[in-house]
Amino acid sequence: MNIGCHLSIRNGFLEAAKLASKLEASAYQYFPKNPRSLSVKQWNPKDAEACMDYCRTHRMYSIAHSPYPTNLAIETPELRQATVRSLRNDLAIAEACGSVGVVVHFGKYKGADPLQGYKNIIQCLHEVLEGWHGAAKLLIENQAGEGSAMGTTLEELVQIRSLSDYREHIGFCFDTCHAYACGLWSSAPGGWAELDKKAARLGYWDHLLAVHLNDSLYEGGMGKDRHAIIGTGSIGADRFRQCLKTFSAMDIPVVLETPVPRGGDHGPEIRFVKELSPT
């Protein structure tokens, strides 16, 4: 499996890839720019190309993550345009670094008509992807149900993709903590088997291109998005053994977004996940 973690690019794109190697990771995630802003970034093309070459040589996968303010369901015209420009910028950086794509949360809409929220998401995706011909894709991430129930079902994600005029540029990123928090991944016995079967039936797995592997600080179904180190949270090691059987058959990046131990790094956790994974 292609196991890794989220890493900083403060020393550049290439150095982030090299750090992943030091951690014995074969995948990693990064913010392509300031994670708290929708600003457009000018990047160093030579650094990005060197990163792409390094990852290809070492058979390493990377994914970018859009900034926190990104909301596909946004309705305000000014914010909508800022979101579109930001995501196009993210895609361009991801393409230059040879990344699989850019993870973007499904979107939250607080208006009275939920249908309008879905329309906003489809329109935003249309504006971002119109004219895009790169290999990097937008990877829509399932949500935890914190503040909004939108994006918590596989049906929603599959339908949004199918309704897009540019679906060939859209994939999925599955977050384990989010799925557990919203009840998509039931804590009952057989919960993973049920989710696995449903995802296969809907065709969700066919377009899964990345995984966020996170334990949950809270019990399942509470709608609380609080990540925990693998095996220390409510999901627990046994449930992760079950889901890793599914992901081990997919040649995709599986990335930790878990807390970093004080004074340490993700190296021990990456090794632990490898131990949980089927050989």
Side-chain angles (χ1 to χ4, degrees):
M1 290 183 62
N2 308 301
I3 307 293
C5 59
H6 186 96
L7 296 172
S8 170
I9 61 163
R10 67 169 59 93
N11 295 317
F13 299 122
L14 175 60
E15 289 305 311
K18 289 181 177 180
L19 178 56
S21 288
K22 291 179 182 178
L23 294 173
E24 300 178 27
S26 52
Y28 68 97
Q29 177 178 267
Y30 62 97
F31 285 119
K33 59 194 179 196
N34 183 350
R36 303 191 183 282
S37 169
L38 293 176
S39 61
V40 172
K41 175 181 178 177
Q42 298 296 323
W43 71 93
N44 183 334
K46 291 185 177 180
D47 182 31
E49 183 179 6
C51 173
M52 177 173 60
D53 291 342
Y54 184 92
C55 289
R56 287 178 176 174
T57 300
H58 293 80
R59 199 187 174 280
M60 182 180 296
Y61 288 93
S62 69
I63 52 176
H65 198 300
S66 60
Y68 295 124
T70 306
N71 182 5
L72 295 176
I74 198 69
E75 195 164 34
T76 308
E78 295 79 7
L79 278 178
R80 176 71 153 283
Q81 290 307 307
T83 298
V84 170
R85 287 193 298 268
S86 177
L87 282 171
R88 287 191 184 207
N89 184 226
D90 295 339
L91 276 171
I93 294 173
E95 181 79 5
C97 290
S99 301
V100 174
V102 179
V103 178
V104 56
H105 294 165
F106 185 85
K108 293 184 178 181
Y109 180 73
K110 297 184 178 180
D113 181 10
L115 182 59
Q116 185 60 51
Y118 296 120
K119 290 179 179 178
N120 290 351
I121 292 172
I122 294 170
Q123 181 61 30
C124 189
L125 290 171
H126 179 98
E127 292 181 24
V128 171
L129 295 171
E130 186 174 19
W132 175 250
H133 300 292
K137 300 178 184 288
L138 284 183
L139 310 179
I140 304 178
E141 181 179 356
N142 58 301
Q143 297 184 159
E146 193 171 52
S148 171
M150 288 184 72
T152 59
T153 70
L154 298 181
E155 288 86 351
E156 288 172 280
L157 282 88
V158 171
Q159 184 72 341
I160 284 293
R161 182 184 181 277
S162 69
L163 290 173
S164 172
D165 291 339
Y166 304 104
R167 63 181 71 91
E168 70 274 13
H169 296 301
I170 298 174
F172 301 124
C173 175
F174 181 83
D175 189 297
T176 56
C177 176
H178 294 180
Y180 192 72
C182 73
L184 172 61
W185 181 1
S186 171
S187 59
W192 180 259
E194 181 181 344
L195 191 159
D196 190 4
K197 184 177 180 180
K198 182 176 186 178
R201 185 179 74 251
L202 292 171
Y204 175 84
W205 290 150
D206 295 340
H207 304 288
L208 184 71
L209 296 177
V211 172
H212 285 166
L213 201 72
N214 304 309
D215 211 325
S216 175
L217 191 62
Y218 290 95
E219 294 294 329
M222 295 181 66
K224 291 183 177 292
D225 181 17
R226 298 294 183 276
H227 300 181
I229 293 172
I230 303 300
T232 69
S234 180
I235 297 177
D238 287 342
R239 289 192 181 93
F240 277 109
R241 285 191 184 94
Q242 297 170 28
C243 77
L244 288 170
K245 288 181 181 179
T246 298
F247 300 141
S248 66
M250 305 176 184
D251 188 20
I252 59 176
V254 178
V255 175
L256 300 166
E257 291 183 314
T258 53
V260 181
R262 179 171 295 181
D265 55 41
H266 277 110
E269 191 176 7
I270 290 172
R271 291 190 288 273
F272 178 62
V273 172
K274 290 179 179 179
E275 292 172 4
L276 292 178
S277 306
T279 55

